[in-house]
C-alpha cells in the first residue's frame, strides 16, 4: 500500500511538472486555457494511473502482443513506479498514516470552520433590493452588513453576496465591472472546480506541489475573469480602480470556493487590466500540442497496461516453469466473492530459481503476498547462452484469482488462478 501511494505521488508530480512546461509555453494566451491545465493536474492526484493501466490490461488481456517487446517495458516500469510493492504494512507506514490523519483533520477542520462562517454570513444576509442589469435572473443576489468583498458563495447553488454601501465606495461603472467579474466566476463554475481542488489539498496536504497548483489555479481563474470583463467592453482603467477600491475597503474570504475579485498577484493583475490587453487565440500548432499532451496523459497508462498484459503473454511462451505452485486464495476474498489478478516481474537465476520478485500491478493488495510467496517456489530450466547458464531478468507472469477455477483440493500443477 505504501509503495502504491509513493508511486502515485511520483506520477502526479511528473504530470504537474509537464503541465508547468506546457503552461509556460501558453503564457501569452488566454488564462482560461492555463486554468484548465492546472485543474487537470490537480484532478490527477485523485485519479491514480493504476486505474487506467488496469483498463489497458483488461483490453490487452492475454491476447497476442501488438508489438515485439524487449527490455524497455521494465525500464518504463521503474520510471513510472520506482518503489516496489511491499507485502505487508511496516511500522513506518503506520506512523506515516498517523501523521497524515492529523494533517487531514487539521486542513479539513480549517475548511469546515471557514464554510460555517460563510454560511452564517449568508443566513444573516438579505435579498438585494435593487435590480442589477449585469446579473442574470438565475443568480440570486443578497447583501450583508459585514465588510466582505463582493463574492460568489456556495458550490452547487452559488449566491452573489454584496456588501452594503458598495456604491458609496465605487462608481457605478466600477460596480458594473466588478459584478461582471463575479458573473464570470459563476458562468465558469469556479466555485465547483475550486472545491474539487480543496479536496485534493485536504487529502494530499503534505505535498508542496498541491499547494503550488492551488496558487496557480487562483491566479489563472482571476486573470480569466479579468480578461472576460475586458472582452465585454469595460474600460480597463476603471475596472482596475474598482478592484483596488474593493481590496482597500473590504476583506476577502479565506475559502477558495468563495470567488471574489481579490487574490493572486494583485499588482500584476491591475497592470494587465489597465492595459486592456486582449490575449491572442491559440495557434493551430499550439492546439495540436495541447491536444497531444492531453491524449498522451490519458492514453499512455492505458497502452502501458495493454503492453504489460502482452508482455506476460510473450514471456509465458518464451519461458515455462518446470515447477509452478499455485497461490493460496485469500479466505477473506473467497468469503466476499472477490476476484483479481497480480502481474509480477522477477529474475530467473542461473540455477532456475526466482529472485527479485516485484509486484508491477495488482487489482487488490490482498492478492499480492500469496502471489509473491507462490512465485518464490517456482523453478525454471536455466537459460543457456553458448552452453553456459545465465540470468534472465525482467520476466513477467500474471496470476489470476477466479472463484470459478478455485478448488481447495486442486493439485499444485493446475493452471494459474
Amino acid at each position: 500500500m505504501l509503495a502504491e501511494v509513493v508511486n502515485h505521488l511520483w506520477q502526479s508530480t511528473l504530470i504537474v511538472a509537464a503541465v508547468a512546461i506546457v503552461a509556460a509555453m501558453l503564457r501569452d494566451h488566454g488564462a482560461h486555457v492555463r486554468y484548465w491545465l492546472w485543474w487537470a493536474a490537480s484532478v490527477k492526484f485523485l485519479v491514480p494511473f493504476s486505474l487506467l493501466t488496469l483498463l489497458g490490461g483488461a483490453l490487452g488481456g492475454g491476447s497476442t502482443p501488438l508489438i515485439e517487446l524487449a527490455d524497455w517495458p521494465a525500464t518504463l516500469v521503474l520510471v513510472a513506479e520506482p518503489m516496489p510493492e511491499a507485502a505487508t504494512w511496516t511500522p513506518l507506514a503506520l506512523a506515516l498514516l498517523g501523521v497524515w490523519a492529523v494533517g487531514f483533520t487539521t486542513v479539513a477542520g480549517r475548511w469546515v470552520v471557514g464554510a460555517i462562517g460563510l454560511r452564517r454570513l449568508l443566513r444573516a444576509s438579505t435579498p438585494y433590493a435593487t435590480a442589477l442589469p449585469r446579473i442574470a435572473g438565475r443568480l440570486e443576489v443578497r447583501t450583508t452588513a459585514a465588510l466582505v468583498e463582493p463574492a460568489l458563495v456556495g458550490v452547487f447553488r452559488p449566491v452573489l453576496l454584496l456588501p452594503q454601501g458598495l456604491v458609496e465606495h465605487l462608481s457605478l461603472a466600477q460596480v458594473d465591472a466588478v459584478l461582471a467579474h463575479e458573473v464570470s466566476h459563476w458562468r465558469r463554475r469556479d466555485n465547483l472546480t475550486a472545491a474539487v481542488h480543496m479536496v485534493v489539498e485536504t487529502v494530499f496536504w503534505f505535498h508542496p506541489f498541491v499547494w503550488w497548483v492551488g496558487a496557480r489555479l487562483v491566479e489563472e481563474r482571476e486573470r480569466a475573469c479579468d480578461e472576460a470583463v475586458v472582452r465585454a467592453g469595460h474600460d480597463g482603467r476603471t475596472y482596475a480602480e474598482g478592484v483596488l477600491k474593493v481590496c482597500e475597503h473590504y476583506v476577502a474570504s479565506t475559502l477558495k470556493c468563495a470567488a471574489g475579485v481579490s487574490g493572486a498577484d494583485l499588482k500584476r493583475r491591475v497592470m494587465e487590466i489597465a492595459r486592456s490587453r486582449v490575449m491572442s487565440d491559440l495557434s493551430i500548432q499550439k492546439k495540436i500540442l495541447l491536444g497531444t499532451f492531453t491524449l498522451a496523459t490519458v492514453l499512455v497508462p492505458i497502452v502501458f497496461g495493454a503492453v504489460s498484459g502482452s508482455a506476460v503473454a510473450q514471456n509465458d511462451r518464451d519461458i515455462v516453469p518446470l515447477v509452478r505452485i499455485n497461490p493460496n486464495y485469500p479466505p477473506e476474498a473467497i468469503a466476499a466473492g472477490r476476484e483479481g489478478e497480480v502481474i509480477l516481474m522477477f529474475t530467473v537465476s542461473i540455477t532456475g530459481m526466482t529472485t527479485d520478485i516485484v509486484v508491477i500491478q495488482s487489482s487488490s493488495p490482498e492478492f499480492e503476498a500469496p502471489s509473491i510467496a507462490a512465485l518464490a517456489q517456482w523453478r525454471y530450466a536455466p537459460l543457456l547462452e553458448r552452453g553456459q547458464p545465465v540470468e534472465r531478468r525482467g520476466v513477467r507472469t500474471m496470476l489470476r484469482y477466479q472463484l470459478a477455477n478455485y478448488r481447495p483440493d486442486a493439485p499444485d500443477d493446475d493452471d494459474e488462478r
Side-chain angles (χ1 to χ4, degrees):
M1 184 65 179
L2 178 61
E4 290 180 352
V5 172
V6 172
N7 289 329
H8 170 60
L9 293 175
W10 167 247
Q11 295 159 7
S12 300
T13 301
L14 289 180
I15 291 297
V16 170
V19 166
I21 294 173
V22 176
M25 298 174 65
L26 302 176
R27 61 183 176 274
D28 292 330
H29 300 279
H32 64 284
V33 177
R34 297 189 299 274
Y35 177 85
W36 289 114
L37 276 173
W38 287 117
W39 192 74
S42 170
V43 172
K44 167 62 191 75
F45 280 90
L46 299 177
V47 184
F49 273 161
S50 57
L51 296 179
L52 298 178
T53 54
L54 283 175
L55 174 61
L59 296 176
S63 59
T64 302
L66 300 176
I67 56 177
E68 191 71 21
L69 297 173
D71 291 334
W72 70 268
T75 303
L76 186 57
V77 169
L78 294 177
V79 172
E81 300 179 353
M83 185 171 182
E85 181 64 62
T88 58
W89 283 74
T90 63
L92 174 60
L94 294 175
L96 292 175
L97 179 62
V99 173
W100 172 84
V102 172
F104 175 87
T105 304
T106 302
V107 176
R110 177 178 141 199
W111 295 139
V112 169
V113 169
I116 291 175
L118 272 182
R119 188 66 179 172
R120 284 199 196 121
L121 204 62
L122 197 58
R123 287 179 178 175
S125 64
T126 58
Y128 198 80
T130 307
L132 299 171
R134 290 278 179 176
I135 305 300
R138 290 181 298 158
L139 179 59
E140 182 182 0
V141 183
R142 300 181 70 85
T143 183
T144 176
L147 293 177
V148 294
E149 70 172 3
L152 200 64
V153 179
V155 175
F156 299 105
R157 298 182 62 183
V159 174
L160 179 55
L161 191 62
L162 301 178
Q164 294 176 0
L166 182 65
V167 294
E168 296 177 4
H169 300 294
L170 279 70
S171 68
L172 291 179
Q174 291 169 349
V175 170
D176 197 22
V178 169
L179 293 182
H181 181 101
E182 297 305 318
V183 170
S184 179
H185 279 306
W186 175 55
R187 289 174 177 165
R188 287 166 38 86
R189 293 177 173 82
D190 282 338
N191 284 14
L192 179 59
T193 55
V196 172
H197 184 71
M198 288 170 64
V199 173
V200 175
E201 289 182 338
T202 304
V203 177
F204 299 96
W205 59 267
F206 52 87
H207 200 306
F209 273 23
V210 167
W211 299 96
W212 184 64
V213 169
R216 302 287 75 73
L217 285 170
V218 172
E219 178 181 358
E220 299 298 353
R221 85 176 184 190
E222 298 306 323
R223 288 183 184 174
C225 292
D226 292 340
E227 292 169 8
V229 173
V230 173
R231 282 197 304 268
H234 294 275
D235 179 70
R237 292 186 177 275
T238 301
Y239 174 43
E241 291 171 358
V243 172
L244 289 175
K245 287 184 179 180
V246 167
C247 295
E248 179 183 356
H249 294 286
Y250 300 104
V251 179
S253 170
T254 57
L255 279 183
K256 295 181 179 180
C257 62
V261 297
S262 60
D265 187 342
L266 188 59
K267 179 180 178 181
R268 184 175 177 182
R269 276 184 59 205
V270 169
M271 292 177 62
E272 291 289 339
I273 294 170
R275 291 167 58 190
S276 299
R277 184 163 67 102
V278 178
M279 307 304 289
S280 59
D281 294 330
L282 288 176
S283 63
I284 185 64
Q285 294 86 352
K286 290 188 176 180
K287 287 181 180 179
I288 294 174
L289 169 67
L290 192 57
T292 302
F293 174 75
T294 303
L295 286 176
T297 303
V298 177
L299 293 181
V300 165
I302 294 178
V303 172
F304 176 68
V307 167
S308 296
S310 299
V312 172
Q314 181 73 22
N315 279 323
D316 283 346
R317 286 199 299 271
D318 290 346
I319 180 169
V320 178
L322 300 176
V323 177
R324 180 168 59 188
I325 305 299
N326 284 331
N328 295 321
Y329 209 124
E332 299 82 1
I334 296 175
R338 290 192 294 268
E339 298 182 333
E341 61 184 30
V342 180
I343 298 178
L344 306 104
M345 183 171 65
F346 57 98
T347 298
V348 176
S349 70
I350 60 175
T351 62
M353 299 180 64
T354 56
T355 61
D356 303 327
I357 301 173
V358 176
V359 173
I360 296 179
Q361 179 180 316
S362 69
S363 57
S364 175
E366 64 184 334
F367 297 119
E368 296 171 7
S371 299
I372 294 174
L375 185 57
Q377 303 178 64
W378 289 20
R379 296 296 180 266
Y380 289 83
L383 179 66
L384 299 179
E385 289 185 3
R386 299 179 181 179
Q388 298 296 323
V390 295
E391 283 188 343
R392 178 159 185 171
R393 299 178 181 274
V395 181
R396 294 180 186 80
T397 192
M398 177 186 292
L399 299 183
R400 291 190 175 91
Y401 294 78
Q402 298 175 336
L403 293 172
N405 297 334
Y406 171 68
R407 298 196 305 273
D409 56 346
D412 286 343
D413 58 352
D414 267 0
D415 291 339
E416 295 171 6
R417 287 197 290 262

